[in-house]
């Protein structure tokens, strides 16, 4: 099976309480560590990569982001999905070409720009262009930012999700959605649902998110920030 087919298969028929858990490596060595730990696939965090490259979240140049994704994808044998923020202003065909050249089989694409929600129908049209350009070579995870930059109304999130699924998105990611609304989102969204998980113990575990309806759980830059904190503690110890 091609890696993209393996990745799609990992999303199918998830049992309640058993979501696909995708850690977020930010460089080659963290990717290898996650692979060696037994994870079947990875999902890069744009914020984690930005921090590692010395950029603010959302300001990483496209060339640097694709280069980072390529290093991560080249370091492991398992499928890699890349967080590509809003697509860097690239036309759909060029975006798909560059994702595939970087070795990724999936991508996150968000529906906001600089903290402002995009028009959902225009965004859906662009996602449809991405789907057409990619064919079956790319797993598209459509991020829904209603809870981050909108009014947090679950019905608005479901409406956006429906447009994106109709445009060809393979998965929907209502980032920032409270766990309490997940059953409602699950009932109104066709196909896989990605939820944000936390590594600090504040909030539901991946198993609990799966029981509420999550198909997969990602952690954004959580792993990178935890490693940075551990490095800080080690550095403080050396200083003392």
């Amino acid at each position: 099976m091609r890696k993209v087919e393996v990745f799609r298969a990992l999303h199918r028929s998830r049992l309640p309480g058993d979501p696909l858990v995708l850690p977020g490596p930010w460089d080659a060595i963290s990717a290898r560590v996650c692979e060696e730990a037994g994870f079947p696939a990875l999902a890069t965090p744009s914020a984690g990569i930005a921090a590692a490259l010395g950029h603010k979240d959302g300001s990483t140049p496209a060339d640097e982001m694709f280069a980072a994704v390529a290093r991560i994808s080249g370091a492991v044998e398992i499928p890699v999905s890349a967080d590509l923020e809003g697509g860097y202003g690239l036309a759909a065909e060029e975006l798909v070409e560059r994702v595939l050249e970087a070795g990724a089989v999936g991508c996150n694409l968000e529906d906001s720009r600089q903290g402002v929600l995009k028009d959902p129908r225009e965004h859906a049209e662009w996602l449809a262009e991405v789907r057409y350009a990619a064919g079956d070579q790319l797993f598209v995870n459509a991020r829904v930012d209603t809870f981050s930059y909108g009014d947090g109304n679950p019905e608005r999130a479901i409406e956006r999700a429906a447009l994106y699924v109709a445009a060809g998105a393979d998965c929907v990611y209502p980032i920032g959605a409270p766990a309490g609304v997940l059953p409602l989102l699950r009932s109104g969204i066709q196909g896989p649902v990605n939820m944000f998980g936390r590594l600090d113990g504040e909030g539901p575990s991946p198993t609990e998110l799966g029981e509420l309806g999550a198909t997969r759980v990602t952690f954004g830059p959580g792993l990178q920030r935890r490693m940075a904190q551990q490095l800080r503690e080690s550095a403080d110890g050396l200083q003392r």
Side-chain angles (χ1 to χ4, degrees), residues 2 8 90-100 107 109 125-140 167-168:
R2 296 178 301 161
R8 282 202 175 92
L90 299 174
E93 187 173 353
E94 182 179 358
L95 176 68
V96 169
E97 181 180 344
R98 297 195 67 175
V99 176
L100 296 177
C107 63
L109 295 170
E125 290 176 1
W126 181 68
L127 288 176
E129 293 174 3
V130 171
R131 175 82 285 152
Y132 179 79
D136 65 354
Q137 299 182 80
L138 198 61
F139 187 99
V140 177

Side-chain angles (χ1 to χ4, degrees), residues 26-233:
W26 59 94
D27 60 10
I29 190 169
S30 59
R32 292 194 191 102
V33 167
C34 290
E35 181 180 42
E36 291 167 0
F39 288 98
L42 308 172
T44 69
S46 60
I49 289 175
L53 295 177
H55 299 294
K56 293 182 180 179
D57 184 20
S59 65
T60 306
D63 287 349
E64 293 190 39
M65 183 62 74
F66 285 114
V69 171
R71 286 191 292 272
I72 291 168
S73 298
V76 297
E77 297 297 325
I78 55 179
V80 173
S81 180
D83 181 354
L84 299 178
E85 303 175 305
Y88 307 109
L90 299 174
E93 187 173 353
E94 182 179 358
L95 176 68
V96 169
E97 181 180 344
R98 297 195 67 175
V99 176
L100 296 177
E101 284 179 349
V105 300
C107 63
N108 276 14
L109 295 170
E110 59 196 46
D111 68 347
S112 65
R113 181 184 297 109
Q114 297 181 339
V116 178
L117 288 172
K118 298 178 182 177
D119 178 273
R121 295 190 180 279
E122 291 180 2
H123 186 64
E125 290 176 1
W126 181 68
L127 288 176
E129 293 174 3
V130 171
R131 175 82 285 152
Y132 179 79
D136 65 354
Q137 299 182 80
L138 198 61
F139 187 99
V140 177
N141 187 34
R143 205 178 89 174
V144 177
D145 286 356
T146 306
F147 296 94
S148 297
Y149 304 119
D151 60 7
N153 186 328
E155 296 298 336
R156 300 291 81 76
I158 290 172
E159 289 170 2
R160 284 177 172 263
L163 289 170
Y164 305 160
V165 170
D170 298 285
C171 186
V172 174
Y173 181 15
I175 190 170
V181 305
L182 179 51
L184 175 60
L185 295 174
R186 174 69 284 171
S187 69
I189 295 175
Q190 299 297 314
V193 174
N194 186 157
M195 285 291 284
F196 178 78
R198 299 184 60 167
L199 297 172
D200 56 8
E202 298 291 329
S205 67
T207 295
E208 291 168 331
L209 289 172
E211 290 171 344
L212 291 170
T215 310
R216 79 183 207 181
V217 179
T218 54
F219 305 89
L223 194 60
Q224 188 265 343
R225 289 174 180 173
R226 172 174 283 193
M227 294 304 101
Q229 179 60 34
Q230 292 183 0
L231 179 59
R232 174 61 184 269
E233 293 169 359

